Amino acid sequence: MEGNNKLRSIPSIDRLLSIASADKEINAYPRELVVACLRQVAAEAREALRLNSEQECSPAALLVEAREMLSRCSRPSLRRVINATGVVLHTNLGRAPLGRRARECVTDVMAGYSTLEYDTETGGRGSRYAHVSEQLCQLTGAEDAIVVNNNAAAVLLVLSAVTKGREVIVSRGELVEIGGSFRIPDVLRQSGATLVEVGTTNKTHLSDYEQAIGPNTGAILKVHTSNYRIIGFTAQPDSRELAALAHRYQLPVIEDLGSGTLLPLAAGGQTEPTVAERLQLGFDIVTFSGDKLLGAGQAGIIAGKAQYVAMMKKHPLLRAVRIDKLSLAALEGTLMEYVLGEPEQTVPALAMLTIAEDILKERAIQLNRLILQPELSGLTAEVVPLSSPAGGGALPLAALRGYGVAVNMPGMSADKLESRLRQRNIPIIVRIQEERIIFDVRCLVETDMEEIAAALSEIGRPGA
């Protein structure tokens, strides 16, 4: 009986609408959306009461919930965040941020029509891949290049076009899995090729590859272990010798380079091979990502011998995995930084990965000063040394040394403060370490630091 009385305490939708008619904030939304939100908050209150919760069911309380729900409806789910984790290529946060030239290219293209597949010289149909293929060839030394929507699609297209119905030889130590359970054996199976494993997890020799070559061999595939390393008692054949072996049997040698870089890169005590280096060693096809160490938006890039790229351009799968115009614009703008500018400074991902420690320390001191400026009662903040991964399945052994600010808020646990920061209109994503909130400054710009200081000031106000 008591439960029924509680349920009767929930106001009707008509009553809530009548009360809400005087609320200017709620009236700014379409009536249909307001009704839907009121029904949802009423249903949630009803369910909470059934579970014997001490749910507040007054009209005022339900309208507060409805107002918050309406606010969430008017706010895009995919939006900008402040990355204070120190992880440069944070997969969950969109990996590489775009540089100025890339952003300008995207804005220009999305504002209207574009030359996506139009040739202004001839007035006829053009190729979307022509916008970046010349730059990619110039930067990598490839004979030709093509771009799809991500590196997984690039690997699938290469194998489907070049090795379908044939065997592909892969070292057991390179049968990788990346995020989302994307596994090389599964990609091979989907492409129509047959996997032939050689060697062992820790050791594979050139003779293992040669012994596996047979009349139905279609290619040798090398997979760069960009998201892990096998160390200790290990062996892999020299890449130039592997390429020579493949060519001796008139086979293409393919490399999935994963988070490929166009420039020599050393960060956190680790280096990555460049795409140009791999092609110079004799690899016929190299695939790599656009939104990792290259520093552009999501893309899968295929560079190499023209005869193999031509096979991909004719393959029906290409249309299913082709890159869209905005991602293509972001890639072209980023490649322009490599061709015309100083990418170590102008491509954000490269700049963040290679920034000097003393600059990070100065930035952390500045953030610490901003945080303490409002003189919040009891709040403590101090500059601390930090170590961060590169992220994005790149540079797995790299420990990027830097600095940040550790904060304690009086009367609030680190978990609670992290939640409050995360649920702001512009979410601030942080780390928790030793029961303190950590703001790593590696990926922050001036306005981010001002926003962090303002957020802490707001959260720390009495009654907030």
Side-chain angles (χ1 to χ4, degrees):
M1 183 66 69
E2 183 182 352
N4 289 335
N5 288 335
K6 284 185 176 180
L7 289 174
R8 291 192 190 99
S9 70
I10 299 175
S12 68
I13 301 301
D14 285 341
R15 185 183 174 202
L16 289 172
L17 275 172
S18 176
I19 298 171
S21 63
D23 190 311
K24 291 183 179 180
E25 187 176 342
I26 291 180
N27 284 331
Y29 297 94
R31 177 181 171 84
E32 294 81 2
L33 182 59
V34 172
V35 171
C37 287
L38 290 173
R39 284 176 175 159
Q40 185 170 338
V41 297
E44 290 174 355
R46 196 173 296 114
E47 182 61 24
L49 289 176
R50 287 198 182 99
L51 297 174
N52 296 319
S53 167
E54 295 299 322
Q55 173 76 25
E56 174 61 59
C57 296
S58 68
L62 294 181
L63 287 178
V64 167
E65 292 185 28
R67 199 178 296 114
E68 291 176 354
M69 187 177 295
L70 287 165
S71 177
R72 289 196 298 272
C73 289
S74 63
R75 187 175 65 201
S77 175
L78 179 60
R79 61 190 192 277
R80 183 176 78 87
V81 304
I82 293 173
N83 177 12
T85 68
V87 181
V88 177
L89 303 174
H90 200 306
T91 298
N92 296 347
L93 304 184
R95 290 186 179 156
L98 297 181
R100 178 189 58 81
R101 200 186 299 265
R103 296 196 304 271
E104 289 174 352
C105 287
V106 172
T107 300
D108 185 49
V109 166
M110 72 180 181
Y113 298 99
S114 68
T115 57
L116 179 64
E117 292 187 352
Y118 184 79
D119 188 332
T120 55
E121 293 296 321
T122 66
R125 180 163 186 157
S127 166
R128 70 178 59 203
Y129 311 108
H131 299 291
V132 294
S133 59
E134 184 176 338
Q135 293 169 324
L136 285 168
C137 290
Q138 179 182 343
L139 292 165
T140 66
E143 293 179 4
D144 200 359
I146 195 169
V147 182
V148 293
N149 58 18
N150 62 25
N151 190 47
V155 175
L156 179 61
L157 177 61
V158 170
L159 295 173
S160 299
V162 178
T163 67
K164 184 175 182 179
R166 305 189 71 187
E167 295 174 348
V168 176
I169 304 171
V170 187
S171 167
R172 284 189 175 90
E174 297 175 357
L175 295 175
V176 306
E177 175 180 325
I178 63 171
S181 299
F182 172 86
R183 295 178 170 183
I184 287 295
D186 296 337
V187 178
L188 276 159
R189 192 177 305 112
Q190 187 65 35
S191 72
T194 300
L195 169 65
V196 175
E197 302 177 27
V198 296
T200 63
T201 302
N202 60 319
K203 283 202 169 194
T204 302
H205 302 284
L206 191 66
S207 58
D208 294 322
Y209 285 96
E210 185 162 20
Q211 289 168 13
I213 294 174
N216 198 37
T217 302
I220 291 175
L221 172 64
K222 186 168 181 60
V223 183
H224 179 54
T225 54
S226 58
N227 62 353
Y228 72 98
R229 287 290 185 271
I230 298 175
I231 60 175
F233 190 58
T234 63
Q236 284 288 335
D238 176 80
S239 294
R240 192 181 298 277
E241 291 179 357
L242 181 63
L245 172 68
H247 296 157
R248 190 158 68 245
Y249 287 90
Q250 298 183 317
L251 296 172
V253 59
I254 304 162
E255 181 161 25
D256 170 8
L257 202 52
S259 51
T261 178
L262 296 180
L263 295 178
L265 178 63
Q270 188 179 343
T271 59
E272 282 286 312
T274 68
V275 178
E277 288 170 353
R278 307 311 290 172
L279 292 172
Q280 288 169 6
L281 288 173
F283 285 84
D284 299 290
I285 306 166
V286 174
T287 74
F288 55 104
S289 295
D291 59 349
K292 295 183 181 178
L293 298 179
L294 191 150
Q298 182 173 296
I301 302 166
I302 304 167
K305 296 286 180 62
Q307 68 182 94
Y308 297 115
V309 176
M311 295 168 68
M312 296 165 222
K313 288 180 178 178
K314 298 175 183 177
H315 198 279
L317 181 61
L318 177 60
R319 187 172 183 84
V321 299
R322 71 182 181 181
I323 191 170
D324 76 284
K325 64 182 180 181
L326 299 185
S327 297
L328 188 61
L331 177 59
E332 183 177 18
T334 305
L335 292 175
M336 288 170 68
E337 298 286 10
Y338 284 87
V339 173
L340 301 175
E342 298 178 323
E344 295 92 340
Q345 282 76 46
T346 57
V347 175
L350 291 181
M352 292 173 186
L353 287 168
T354 57
I355 188 170
E357 282 185 60
D358 58 342
I359 295 176
L360 292 175
K361 188 171 185 179
E362 290 176 9
R363 191 180 295 175
I365 291 171
Q366 180 185 357
L367 175 59
N368 193 62
R369 189 181 301 118
L370 286 170
I371 289 172
L372 293 175
Q373 210 168 35
E375 297 181 358
L376 292 175
S377 177
L379 181 143
T380 62
E382 65 171 325
V383 174
V384 292
L386 298 172
S387 178
S388 305
L395 300 162
L397 299 182
L400 304 177
R401 295 171 58 185
Y403 287 87
V405 178
V407 170
N408 276 326
M409 181 77 72
M412 187 177 296
S413 69
D415 287 337
K416 178 65 174 177
L417 179 54
E418 183 274 337
S419 177
R420 292 286 298 273
L421 292 166
R422 172 168 36 88
Q423 294 181 44
R424 294 176 61 81
N425 283 336
I426 300 177
I428 302 172
I429 313 302
V430 299
R431 294 154 57 181
I432 296 178
Q433 192 171 306
E434 298 177 352
E435 297 303 314
R436 296 190 296 178
I437 291 296
I438 304 293
F439 299 96
D440 191 314
V441 299
R442 181 176 295 274
C443 304
L444 302 181
V445 296
E446 185 81 27
T447 54
D448 293 338
M449 296 195 290
E450 293 170 357
E451 177 69 23
I452 288 169
L456 289 173
S457 179
E458 178 185 316
I459 293 169
R461 282 202 306 264

